[in-house]
């Protein structure tokens, strides 16, 4: 699956941010292809190093399955596994897990040494469950790089993401996707009663 030019820019900027920092946050709206983007990103980071280990966490089973499927479609040569309520497999080079399962003490204890920890829907990062996973990953390896992707970096509770993300690698705007023909302009309708 080839990246669109704007997606390639996003990927390049994120790789650059990770080369200079131990974390980065990427912001892209719904429809920008965040799952495709992070699949290419992790594939680029680990493809030529079989000893590299990555963990992708999300907050819903459906997102975990979607992330797993898309990653395997884009990176068929990279081994993957899943940690969820039914399966606790850490043997993949990239492991996909749901935060609620992984944040349980018994599962936290089994987190191996990680090179990359990617958080899908990164606006959830301040939650205690995510913090426990980040802390465990960093306890195992202080060189573990944190990558967050989100469409909504502003939280309704006003809590910022700066505790975990010192920089924003890139931000794709809806207007860019509309002007390049990848999204249709939104239309608003009012229903008279």
């Amino acid at each position: 699956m080839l990246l669109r030019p704007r997606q390639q820019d996003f990927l390049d900027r994120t790789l650059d941010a990770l080369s200079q920092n131990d974390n980065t946050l990427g912001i892209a709206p719904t429809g920008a292809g965040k799952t495709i983007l992070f699949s290419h990103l992790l594939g680029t980071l680990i493809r030529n190093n079989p000893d590299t280990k990555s963990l992708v966490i999300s907050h819903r089973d459906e997102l975990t399955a979607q992330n797993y499927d898309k990653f395997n479609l884009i990176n068929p040569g990279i081994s993957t596994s899943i940690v969820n309520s039914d399966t606790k497999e850490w043997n993949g080079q990239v492991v996909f897990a749901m935060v609620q399962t992984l944040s349980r003490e018994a599962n936290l204890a089994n987190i191996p040494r990680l090179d990359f920890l990617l958080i899908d829907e990164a606006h959830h990062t301040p939650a205690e469950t995510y913090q426990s996973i980040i802390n465990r990953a960093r306890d195992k390896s202080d060189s573990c790089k944190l990558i967050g992707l989100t469409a909504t970096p502003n939280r309704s509770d006003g809590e910022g993401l700066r505790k975990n993300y010192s920089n924003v690698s890139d931000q794709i705007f809806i207007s860019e996707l509309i002007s390049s023909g990848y999204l249709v302009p939104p239309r608003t309708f009012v229903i008279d009663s």
Side-chain angles (χ1 to χ4, degrees):
M1 188 171 293
L2 297 175
L3 293 176
R4 299 178 208 137
R6 185 61 181 93
Q7 290 174 316
Q8 185 63 53
D9 289 343
F10 187 96
L11 174 64
D12 293 342
R13 290 174 182 158
T14 303
L15 289 167
D16 185 53
L18 287 171
S19 73
Q20 299 174 45
N21 303 283
D22 68 351
N23 67 80
T24 195
L25 178 67
I27 303 168
T30 302
K34 286 183 293 299
T35 306
I36 302 301
L37 282 166
F38 86 66
S39 295
H40 279 279
L41 174 66
L42 285 179
T44 300
L45 290 167
I46 68 173
R47 184 170 291 110
N48 296 321
N49 187 353
D51 295 329
T52 306
K53 188 86 162 174
S54 300
L55 173 63
V56 176
I57 57 175
S58 52
H59 70 288
R60 290 212 166 92
D61 276 332
E62 298 83 11
L63 290 175
T64 302
Q66 172 188 304
N67 293 343
Y68 176 83
D69 291 342
K70 291 281 169 94
F71 183 89
N72 284 312
L73 178 68
I74 291 167
N75 301 289
I78 297 174
S79 66
T80 57
S81 59
I82 292 181
V83 172
N84 62 21
S85 59
D86 300 322
T87 307
K88 310 282 188 293
E89 293 183 11
W90 287 100
N91 58 336
Q93 192 175 1
V94 179
V95 179
F96 294 84
M98 192 174 73
V99 66
Q100 293 87 339
T101 302
L102 195 55
S103 63
R104 294 189 174 137
E105 196 57 46
N107 297 327
L108 275 174
N110 291 323
I111 292 177
R113 183 192 175 285
L114 299 171
D115 298 286
F116 300 100
L117 172 57
L118 188 138
I119 299 179
D120 187 17
E121 305 290 346
H123 53 277
H124 293 293
T125 303
E128 187 176 314
T129 50
Y130 286 85
Q131 291 300 305
S132 66
I133 296 166
I134 293 166
N135 292 337
R136 180 64 178 172
R138 292 262 166 94
D139 286 346
K140 288 276 192 156
S141 171
D142 58 1
S143 64
C144 177
K145 293 194 178 229
L146 179 64
I147 305 162
L149 293 175
T150 186
T152 54
N154 298 322
R155 294 170 47 95
S156 60
D157 65 4
E159 188 168 357
L161 303 179
R162 192 166 295 279
K163 174 181 177 183
N164 295 109
Y165 305 104
S166 64
N167 68 93
V168 173
S169 61
D170 197 3
Q171 181 170 7
I172 299 175
F173 294 94
I174 290 176
S175 58
E176 293 177 76
L177 299 177
I178 292 170
S179 66
S180 60
Y182 295 114
L183 289 180
V184 297
R187 295 189 312 174
T188 304
F189 297 93
V190 175
I191 299 173
D192 292 330
S193 48

